[in-house]
Amino acid sequence: MQMIREIIPLEITEVPTGKAVFDWTIPNEWNIRDAYIITPSGEKIACFKKNNLHVVNYSIPVNQLVTYDELIQHIHSIPEMPDAIPYITSYYKENWGFCMEHNTLLSLPKEGKYNVFIDSELKPGSLTYGQCYLPGKSEKEILFSTYCCHPSMANNELSGPLVTAFLAAEIAKNKNRYYSYRFLFAPETIGVIAFLNSTGESLKKNLAAGYVVTCVGDDGKFHYKRSRRDNALCDRVAEHVLKYSGNNFVIEPFSVGGSDERQYCSPGFNLPVGSLMRTPYQRYPQYHTSLDNKKLISFPSMRETVEMYMKFTELLEINHNYKTTLLGCEPQMGKRGLYPSSANPLYNRADIHRMMHLLAYSDGESDLIKIAECRNESALLYKDMISIYLQQKLIEKAL
Amino acid sequence: MQMIREIIPLEITEVPTGKAVFDWTIPNEWNIRDAYIITPSGEKIACFKKNNLHVVNYSIPVNQLVTYDELIQHIHSIPEMPDAIPYITSYYKENWGFCMEHNTLLSLPKEGKYNVFIDSELKPGSLTYGQCYLPGKSEKEILFSTYCCHPSMANNELSGPLVTAFLAAEIAKNKNRYYSYRFLFAPETIGVIAFLNSTGESLKKNLAAGYVVTCVGDDGKFHYKRSRRDNALCDRVAEHVLKYSGNNFVIEPFSVGGSDERQYCSPGFNLPVGSLMRTPYQRYPQYHTSLDNKKLISFPSMRETVEMYMKFTELLEINHNYKTTLLGCEPQMGKRGLYPSSANPLYNRADIHRMMHLLAYSDGESDLIKIAECRNESALLYKDMISIYLQQKLIEKAL
Amino acid sequence: MQMIREIIPLEITEVPTGKAVFDWTIPNEWNIRDAYIITPSGEKIACFKKNNLHVVNYSIPVNQLVTYDELIQHIHSIPEMPDAIPYITSYYKENWGFCMEHNTLLSLPKEGKYNVFIDSELKPGSLTYGQCYLPGKSEKEILFSTYCCHPSMANNELSGPLVTAFLAAEIAKNKNRYYSYRFLFAPETIGVIAFLNSTGESLKKNLAAGYVVTCVGDDGKFHYKRSRRDNALCDRVAEHVLKYSGNNFVIEPFSVGGSDERQYCSPGFNLPVGSLMRTPYQRYPQYHTSLDNKKLISFPSMRETVEMYMKFTELLEINHNYKTTLLGCEPQMGKRGLYPSSANPLYNRADIHRMMHLLAYSDGESDLIKIAECRNESALLYKDMISIYLQQKLIEKAL
C-alpha cells in the first residue's frame, strides 16, 4: 500500500478481526517474522527470508524436531515442475506447512531429525484495503478493482496493482470527467467481501461499469471475461473497443472460476463488473508458483493494458444516448457550415454519411455504441462530432 | 381399458352421445359383431373376425346382393402396397365399406353377385376415456396423453397406451413427487376434445408440462415435436434431456399434421404440450395399414421410451428457479464442510466450479436448465447438490 | 404535374418562399428561360434548350464576357465519363455554372473571350407538390412517395413518378380497399420536409406502411431498403413478398445515404417507410448524368415494379391478426363442408394442413405473415381461405 501511494493517494480502511461480513468473518491477522527448516546435517532450507512462498500462508507458529516421515506431511511441491515453489494457503484450517522445489524435496535424507521453525503470529488485528476515489460531474461511477494478497508473484498478482495505479494516475489528468472513478486495492475474496459489506449498497445505486484488473503484465493477447449480466455496459464497452482496436483478443463468458468478479456478480449484487486480462489465471504453467516472476511480465505490456483500459474510459465518457433537438426531418447542415456547398458526385460521401448517421439515430434510445455498430465502425470516431453537435445544440444527452 | 387396468388403476369417464363438446357433438356409439363379403363362388372374404381393419370404421349395417361394379364403390385398397389392408374411417358421413389387400381385389370375378354383410349398430351410447391421476405435493401437474381408438395397429397406436401405462406405474413408485401426474387414455381428437371440455379450465390453471405419447414402439430415433408455444417448459425439458442423453434425436416445430397436441395447443387453450415419439405417423410406409403390426415394435424399444420420459420427469421434479438465501457475495463453503481446506493447484477445480456455479446463478430468475446450459452440461448432474443446498438452506425455491 | 394528371387526379399544394418548415426555409423559386456559352469562334455550346443539365441548377442570371481561365472555374465535367453531362445543383449557395461533356471542355480554345449567358430568375414564389389520396374503409393509410425535381434523368428520376402514377391508377380500381392510399409527388428533401411539416402529425397517427419509389425503371434486380425501424410492417411485407416472389432481390438495412426515407425515418417521425428500387442511386455509372436517359429504362421494367408494389398492397390488405371465434379445440370442419369426408391415406394432406394451420395460429397475436412463415410459404396463398373463414365466422380480425 505504501508503494502504491508513491503513485496515487490511497484512503486506507482497516476491518477488525471478528467482524461479520455477509456469510464470512474477518479472520485473525497473520504476521510472520521468519521461517526455515534445519536439515539433519545442519543445512538451512526453505528460508522465508529468501522466498516468502516457502511458508504455507497463514501457518501457525511451530518450533520442533520432526522425523522425515512427519516432515513430509507438511511439505508441498510440484513433481511436474521440480524447480518451482508452489503457492499454498491454509486460511480456514489451522495448520502449518512448507513449500519447496520438488528437487530439494528429493534430496532430503530420510534419517535424522529436522528442526522446523515458523515464527508467526495469529491474533486479532485487521484486514486492510485501500481506495482512490476521483470524483466526476456525476455520482455514477466506474470501478477498477485489483487484489494485493500475494504480490510476490508477478503476473498474478503484482501486475494488477501496478496497472491499476498507473491507470488511476492517467485518469486523474482528465479534469473534465463525467463519471467518478474508484480504484480498489484489497485482498482477494475476503477483502472484496469486506469492501462490499460497507460499500455494496452504494455501488448498487451508482456503479455504471467495473473491471477486475488481474493478470495484466505478460505479453499474452487480451482476454475479456464478461460480467454475469453478459451484456452490461462494462461488457459492451470492452467488446466494442477490443473489436475495433486492431488487437487480437478473446471474449469469454462469465464463470465462477476466477477472481473477485465472483463477489461483484453474486446474485445479491449482480453488479456490472467484468475483467480485462492478458493470459488469465490457470492458463499458464507458472501460475501460483515462484516461476510467476519478473521474467514473465514487462512494463511495455503493462503500459499496453493501461492504454486499453484508457480506451474503455474514453468510450464510457462519450457513450450516452443522444437525442436530436429537432422536431422532425434532418437538420439543414449547410446553414451551420457543416455541409459541402455543391452536390458534386465525387465528394466524400462516407464522411457526410457518418455525420448524418449520428443525427438519424439520435433518437434517445440508442447509445453511441449501437449507433457506431450500425455502420460497423469504432464509436471513438464520433468523439469530435459529438462535441460539435452538443455545442451547436443539434443533439443533447437523453435522460 | 380393462387390459390397461391390469397395469395401473383407471378412472373411467363416459360422455353420452349428443353432448356438445366445444364445436363438436359426441356421435352415436358404433358397435360391430361381424362383417364379411361372400363372393359369387361362395368364398368368404374380408372377414371382420380375421382382421378388424376389413371394415371401414363406423360403417352402417348392410346385408345385400351387389354387382362387382356396385361392390368396388365400397372397397378400399392400396395398389402400391398390395398385401396391406388400409385403415379407413367414415366418422361423420353415413356410409359403409370394406378394406382389403389390393391383391385380393384384383382376384375378384367381375360377373355374379356379391353378398355384403355388416352386422353393426349405430345408436346413442357414450364415448369412453380413462384417467390415472397421481397426486403430488403441488396441484401443478404433468400430463401424459395417449389415444386408444385403433389399438389393432401397433406403433400407431398400441405402443402409446402401453408406454403410458408402464410410465405411470414407474412414476407411482416415487412417493415424494413434487408434481401431480395425470395419464389420459382417450380416442384421438373427439375423445381429447371431450376431456378438455370437462378438464380444460383446470389444466389452464395447473398444467406445467404435457406430452402426447404416440408412435413410441419402433426402434426409430427419438423425435420431439414442440408445443405451439415453441419454448414452453415441456419443450425445454425435452430438448435439454435429449441433448445430453447420448441418443440421436430430431427436434421438430409444432405443426397441425399430428395428433392430440392440436387440441391442447389450439388458441383457446395454448397449453404447454409437446410429443416425444420414435418414428412419427406418416413417416413409415406401414402407417395406417395392417402392416403396422407387432413386427414393427418391441418391448426393449418401448422400455427405452419409458426411460426417456422418466428422465423428463426427473428433470421436471428438480427444475425450479432457485434463489440464494445470502444477502451478498458467495457463501463460505469451508465452514459448512463443502470446500477443500487447502488451495492446492492440483485439486479438481471442475467439481468446485459446478458447486459455486449453481450458487452464483441462484438468482431466482434462472431455472436449473438455464444454469446447467451455461456450463453446457446436463441439469441432472446437479440433483444431489440441490438436495444438500436445500437442506443446508443455502438456496430456496423462488416463488 | 400536368402530365401526371393525365394518369391520375392530383391535388396541388403551393408552399410560399420564406416559409419555415422545421429546420429549413422554402427558398426562392428558380425559373430559367435560356442559357448557353458563345465560344471565341462564335459557336453556341452548352445550350440549356438542347439539354437542361447544361446549367447548374439554381444558377443566378449572368451575361458577361469571360476568359478561358475565368470560365473553367464555372464548368463541371467528368473526366472518367467524357461523353456525359453531369447533373449539378447549388441550392444553398448563390453561384452560376455550366455542365458539359469532358470532351467538349477539352476542345475549347484557351484564347479569346467567352460569352456566358444565363437568363434565370430567383425570386419569391413557391415550392409545389402534388398528392393523390384514395380513401379506404380505414383511416389507416399506405403512402407511396416519389420525387420530381430532376425528371430529365430517367431511372433517377422519371421512373419514380411514372411507376407511382400507374400504381395509383391500379389501386384506384379496387373499390373494396381496407386502407386509404396516399401518393406524393414532391421535390426531394425540401419538398418532403414541407409535406411532413403540414401532414407529418397525421401520418404519425395513421401511417401503417410507406415506400419511397425511386430508381424503378431499369432492369436491375429488386433492392429493398428497410425503414430505420428495421422490422416495421412496410419491411415485413416487402421482405415476405420478395422472398416468395421467385424474383432475385437484395435486402439492405436503413442508411442515411439515400432519398426521402431520411426525412420519414428521422427521429422526430420514425415512420414505417422503406424503399423498393431496382438498381439504386449511386450504384450505376450513369447516375446523375445525361447518360441516365431513356435507354436505361423500359416500360416492361416499370410494369414489373408496379406489379411488385401491387403485391405489397395485396398482402397489406389481408395481413391482419386473426382470432378464432372458438372457445377451445379445433373446429369441426366437416359439418361446414370444409373437410374431406373419408380419411383416405392418399388425400392431399398439404391442403388440409394449411387450412388447419391458419386456424391453429389464429390466436390474435400472430399476423398472417408470421403464420405463413411458420410453414415457409407465401401469405398470399391464404387469401381465399381468409375470405371463407371470415364469412363463416370461424375467425375475426383481432383489435
Side-chain angles (χ1 to χ4, degrees), chain C residues 43 60 124 130 167 198 200 213 240 258 270 304 338 345 350 365 368 375:
Chain C
E43 200 188 348
I60 56 174
L167 180 64
S198 75
V213 184
H240 181 87
N270 198 21
E304 267 179 29
L338 296 172
E365 286 164 24
L368 184 64
R375 283 177 53 88

Side-chain angles (χ1 to χ4, degrees), chain C residues 219-230:
Chain C
D219 62 1
K221 63 183 161 192
F222 286 109
H223 284 69
Y224 180 70
K225 178 179 169 182
R226 287 181 185 154
S227 77
R228 201 177 70 97
R229 290 190 193 174
D230 208 54

Side-chain angles (χ1 to χ4, degrees), chain B residues 240-313:
Chain B
H240 181 87
V241 169
L242 286 166
K243 183 173 173 188
Y244 297 105
S245 68
N247 289 70
N248 253 328
F249 63 95
V250 175
I251 303 290
E252 307 203 340
F254 179 79
S255 68
V256 291
S259 178
D260 290 325
E261 63 276 11
R262 286 210 309 270
Q263 312 312 326
Y264 293 115
C265 298
S266 62
F269 287 111
N270 198 22
L271 294 170
V273 176
S275 181
L276 179 73
M277 300 166 276
R278 307 300 289 255
T279 306
Y281 26 75
Q282 299 166 34
R283 308 270 180 90
Y284 58 101
Q286 305 92 333
Y287 171 74
H288 270 198
T289 76
S290 57
L291 301 183
D292 183 354
N293 58 34
K294 280 198 281 186
K295 287 184 200 149
L296 219 63
I297 67 172
S298 75
F299 278 101
S301 286
M302 287 188 277
R303 166 56 46 197
E304 265 179 29
T305 310
V306 169
E307 280 163 9
M308 188 59 76
Y309 269 127
M310 278 307 293
K311 280 191 188 159
F312 289 12
T313 68

Side-chain angles (χ1 to χ4, degrees), chain B residues 333-340 352 355-356 388-389 392 394:
Chain B
M333 301 302 275
K335 73 183 187 191
R336 294 179 172 83
L338 297 172
Y339 204 85
I352 293 179
M355 190 168 94
M356 300 313 288
I388 294 168
Y389 286 2
Q392 293 220 12
L394 273 168

